[in-house]
């Protein structure tokens, strides 16, 4: 019972702390290591040359723009096998492939090696690949806003935690869609990445006649922060509940152990055992069982955390499955702390044992 109780407590503690760190890991990995652009300003490529020049002039006049480039940005849909609804996909075709890494880092989801756009396939993001069980070399059917379907070959699967993206080079775009790419957006990397500055830049771009819309990369970040705020409350509930479970299990079982062995403990005291030795006689067993429970709880917490973070995120988000060593240490440390508190309580109970009455009691 001690092993099972401590196993449940440790597993829940690891899961609670791991859920919080996994959501935090989405923000750290997505917006520090992968997504470097802040705004994609989409304009009408059929606008007059004057209107497009004014749009470009507005981009050049924004002092906080650190880097900019032309891309094609469009929205397509697909329905991966096994899903019941269409998935919205952002399709991007950069004009300059060499500098595109400054805006979006494409790296393999398994070994983090950088991916290059190739003329015989497209790069899709990890969550989309998991939804459809796609692998490199498979084909993916895309449907544009006009209802036309196109089939692309997957040349790489890129690490991505938020949203579905498909990235092609201009030659493969021409091969699939049968037309030359027409760049319709400006991708911007800003010096000031605060939400206020991104909003200001978006408003300036949308004020132009040729503007269609402005896509902000931090929109998903704000949604994740909202989820994280609510998740913190859930984490605290899990931590408090699992801590109470640990304390109740240790106290109840240790109390039963002491109560049923008062005659044995009294005999030890009469034979000359010190108070500390008598306490450790009982507590040594509890400590061994508790350590076994913690070790088993490590594996249980790992699989429970992995299961929850696989099923919790929506179809367009992917959780960071990394379980930090600090989570394991903190969970074990809290369990050991409760064990120490129980031991101090039991010291007082053992000290108050009536040795004469215990020795005269019937077995």
């Amino acid at each position: 019972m001690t092993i099972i109780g401590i196993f449940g407590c440790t597993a829940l503690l690891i899961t609670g702390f791991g859920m919080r760190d996994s959501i935090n890991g989405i923000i750290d990995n997505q917006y520090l290591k992968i997504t470097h652009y802040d705004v994609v300003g989409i304009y009408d490529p059929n606008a007059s040359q004057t209107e497009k020049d004014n749009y470009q002039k507005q981009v050049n006049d924004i002092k906080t723009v650190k880097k900019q480039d032309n891309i094609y940005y469009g929205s397509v849909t697909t329905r991966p096998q096994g899903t019941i609804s269409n998935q919205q996909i952002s399709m991007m075709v950069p004009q300059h492939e060499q500098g595109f890494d400054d805006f979006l880092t494409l790296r393999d989801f398994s070994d983090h090696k950088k991916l290059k756009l190739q003329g015989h396939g497209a790069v899709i993001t990890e969550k989309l690949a998991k939804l459809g069980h796609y692998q490199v070399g498979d084909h993916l059917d895309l449907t544009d806003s006009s209802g036309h379907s196109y089939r692309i070959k997957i040349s790489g699967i890129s690490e991505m935690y938020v949203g579905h993206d498909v990235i092609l080079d201009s030659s493969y775009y021409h091969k699939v869609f049968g037309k030359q790419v027409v760049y319709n957006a400006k991708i911007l990397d800003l010096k000031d990445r605060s939400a206020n500055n991104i909003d200001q830049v978006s408003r300036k771009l949308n004020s132009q006649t040729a503007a269609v819309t402005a896509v902000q990369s931090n929109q998903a970040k704000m949604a994740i922060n909202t989820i994280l705020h609510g998740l913190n409350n859930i984490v605290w509930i899990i931590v408090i509940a699992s801590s109470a479970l640990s304390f109740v299990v240790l106290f109840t079982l240790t109390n039963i152990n002491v109560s049923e062995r008062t005659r044995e403990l009294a005999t030890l005291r009469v034979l000359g055992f010190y108070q500390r030795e008598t306490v450790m006689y009982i507590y040594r067993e509890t400590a061994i069982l508790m350590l076994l429970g913690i070790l088993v709880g490590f594996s249980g917490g790992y699989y429970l955390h992995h299961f929850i973070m696989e099923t919790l995120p929506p179809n367009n988000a992917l959780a960071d499955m990394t379980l930090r060593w600090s989570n394991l240490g903190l969970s074990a440390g809290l369990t050991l702390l409760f064990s120490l508190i129980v031991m101090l309580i039991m010291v007082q109970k053992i000290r108050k044992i009536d040795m004469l009455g215990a020795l005269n009691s019937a077995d």
Side-chain angles (χ1 to χ4, degrees):
M1 291 177 64
T2 301
I3 293 176
I4 294 175
I6 298 303
F7 159 78
C9 165
T10 306
L12 287 174
L13 284 171
I14 292 173
T15 302
F17 292 128
M19 287 170 60
R20 182 191 59 187
D21 290 339
S22 291
I23 300 297
N24 275 325
I26 295 177
I27 297 177
D28 294 339
N29 286 317
Q30 182 70 36
Y31 296 99
L32 294 178
K33 301 177 182 179
I34 298 174
T35 301
H36 311 299
Y37 72 89
D38 299 291
V39 180
V40 175
I42 305 173
Y43 59 87
D44 183 6
N46 298 320
S48 66
Q49 188 61 43
T50 301
E51 291 174 338
K52 290 189 286 187
D53 290 342
N54 290 336
Y55 193 92
Q56 179 64 61
K57 184 177 183 302
Q58 178 64 77
V59 172
N60 295 335
D61 290 342
I62 299 176
K63 297 181 180 179
T64 58
V65 173
K66 181 167 63 175
K67 294 178 182 178
Q68 61 169 294
D69 201 1
N70 295 316
I71 65 168
Y72 169 80
Y73 190 94
S75 180
V76 294
T77 61
T78 188
R79 180 177 292 182
Q81 185 178 2
T83 60
I84 59 175
S85 60
N86 290 333
Q87 300 298 313
Q88 294 289 332
I89 300 175
S90 298
M91 183 169 62
M92 290 184 279
V93 182
Q95 183 178 20
H96 303 101
E97 299 169 19
Q98 295 296 330
F100 189 65
D101 190 65
D102 294 332
F103 302 97
L104 187 66
T105 296
L106 300 178
R107 63 183 190 181
D108 189 87
F109 74 100
S110 58
D111 56 16
H112 291 178
K113 291 183 179 179
K114 288 188 177 181
L115 298 174
K116 293 183 179 180
L117 297 178
Q118 302 177 10
H120 61 269
V123 174
I124 70 171
T125 48
E126 183 179 357
K127 182 69 180 203
L128 182 58
K130 286 191 173 184
L131 284 177
H133 305 286
Y134 299 120
Q135 297 179 354
V136 174
D138 292 343
H139 289 82
L140 174 67
D141 294 324
L142 303 177
T143 304
D144 62 14
S145 57
S146 301
H148 298 114
S149 296
Y150 303 92
R151 169 164 284 201
I152 63 170
K153 183 179 179 181
I154 301 172
S155 63
I157 299 175
S158 177
E159 180 183 7
M160 187 75 68
Y161 294 91
V162 179
H164 301 314
D165 293 335
V166 171
I167 302 95
L168 310 82
D169 69 354
S170 56
S171 62
Y172 191 63
Y173 177 90
H174 178 263
K175 181 179 179 180
V176 172
F177 293 89
K179 57 183 179 181
Q180 295 294 335
V181 59
V182 177
Y183 301 105
N184 66 338
K186 292 285 184 180
I187 187 168
L188 307 178
D189 180 14
L190 305 178
K191 300 175 184 177
D192 181 2
R193 306 194 71 183
S194 65
N196 289 334
N197 185 58
I198 292 175
D199 286 337
Q200 290 178 6
V201 171
S202 299
R203 286 196 297 268
K204 289 179 180 179
L205 295 178
N206 287 334
S207 66
Q208 296 298 308
T209 307
V212 175
T213 188
V215 178
Q216 301 179 7
S217 66
N218 69 339
Q219 289 176 341
K221 182 179 180 180
M222 295 170 63
I224 293 173
N225 283 328
T226 302
I227 296 173
L228 185 61
H229 178 72
L231 186 63
N232 282 332
N233 297 329
I234 298 176
V235 170
W236 278 115
I237 293 174
I238 294 176
V239 170
I240 293 173
S242 56
S243 300
L245 171 65
S246 173
F247 184 81
V248 169
V249 167
L250 287 173
F251 179 81
T252 302
L253 295 180
T254 305
N255 187 51
I256 293 173
N257 194 15
V258 171
S259 298
E260 292 186 349
R261 300 172 70 178
T262 53
R263 184 182 179 89
E264 183 179 350
L265 294 174
T267 301
L268 293 175
R269 294 302 308 277
V270 170
L271 291 175
F273 281 71
Y274 290 107
Q275 182 73 33
R276 180 178 61 85
E277 293 174 323
T278 307
V279 171
M280 290 306 299
Y281 183 77
I282 292 293
Y283 191 72
R284 188 178 293 110
E285 300 172 355
T286 303
I288 294 173
L289 295 174
M290 183 186 61
L291 291 176
L292 290 175
I294 290 175
L295 293 176
V296 177
F298 283 166
S299 60
Y302 171 82
Y303 287 108
L304 181 60
H305 168 262
H306 189 83
F307 171 76
I308 291 178
M309 297 316 298
E310 278 279 0
T311 56
L312 179 65
N315 284 337
N316 62 345
L318 184 70
D320 180 15
M321 293 299 179
T322 302
L323 196 59
R324 301 178 182 175
W325 285 105
S326 59
N327 291 338
L328 304 179
L330 184 58
S331 301
L334 286 174
T335 305
L336 292 173
L337 176 62
F338 300 140
S339 176
L340 178 61
I341 295 174
V342 170
M343 184 183 72
L344 295 176
I345 296 174
M346 289 300 107
V347 167
Q348 301 301 321
K349 182 170 182 175
I350 293 174
R351 182 176 297 171
K352 294 179 181 179
I353 292 177
D354 182 4
M355 292 185 290
L356 182 60
L359 292 173
N360 289 331
S361 63
D363 289 335

